[in-house]
Amino acid sequence: MEKGVQVSKETAKGIEEGVEKGRKSGESVDGAVIVSSGEELKDKGSLRVYAVNKAAGAEGTSEVVLAAENTLDKPLRLTKLEFTILDREGFVKRPASVAPRSEVTVPSKAKEKITVTVTEPPERLGKLRVYGLELDLVAAVGARAR
């Protein structure tokens, strides 16, 4: 029975990897290039901190606004977006919400804002991790980053 469970898990993992590989190698219905890691994002676009501000109407809550830039001549779809925020002491702060959710399509030669809300005041935030990238939040607190 143990062997059967192991085979089932390996089969399911193989199917999932095959679907993901097929999705990336094939062109999506809208012609978008699909990205799901920092390595895949290179030479196609970028993610950077745009601003870190107090969330309106929510004491002790911050909004981290990221700018997703597409440098391609076709849409860029960022998938599997999972954000981790660290405070200045290195403690993990999980996002309360992300808008848009875990997938964003950026039109060609354009930028899209992604807002991550966290229940921590802006002055306590240190870094944001996404796609293996570590983005500094300290310099962006209270002002739009350049």
Side-chain angles (χ1 to χ4, degrees), residues 35-49 66-69 76 78-86 114 126-137:
V35 167
S36 64
S37 72
E39 188 62 35
E40 293 171 1
L41 183 59
K42 287 181 183 175
D43 301 324
K44 296 175 181 78
S46 65
L47 279 171
R48 68 176 180 83
V49 178
L66 300 175
E69 182 176 13
L76 180 66
L78 306 176
T79 64
K80 295 187 178 184
L81 288 169
E82 295 180 21
F83 301 96
T84 301
I85 296 175
L86 303 174
I114 302 169
K127 298 178 181 185
L128 180 139
R129 291 180 182 162
V130 60
Y131 281 170
L133 306 171
E134 198 164 83
L135 306 174
D136 181 39
L137 300 177

Side-chain angles (χ1 to χ4, degrees), residues 18-30:
V19 168
E20 185 65 24
K21 186 177 179 182
R23 184 176 184 207
K24 286 181 187 176
S25 65
E27 191 168 282
S28 63
V29 175
D30 61 357

Side-chain angles (χ1 to χ4, degrees), residues 48-53 65 111 113 139-146:
R48 68 176 180 83
V49 178
Y50 183 77
V52 178
N53 300 305
V65 181
K111 297 176 188 174
K113 289 181 184 176
V141 172
R144 186 167 62 92
R146 299 273 172 215

Side-chain angles (χ1 to χ4, degrees), residues 53-59 61 63:
N53 300 305
K54 291 181 181 179
E59 188 65 34
T61 301
E63 287 183 343

Side-chain angles (χ1 to χ4, degrees), residues 105-139:
T105 301
V106 184
S108 64
K109 304 285 185 186
K111 297 176 188 174
E112 182 87 27
K113 289 181 184 176
I114 302 169
T115 303
V116 181
T117 304
V118 62
T119 53
E120 192 74 25
E123 61 275 4
R124 294 206 25 118
L125 300 180
K127 298 178 181 185
L128 180 139
R129 291 180 182 162
V130 60
Y131 281 170
L133 306 171
E134 198 164 83
L135 306 174
D136 181 39
L137 300 177
V138 176

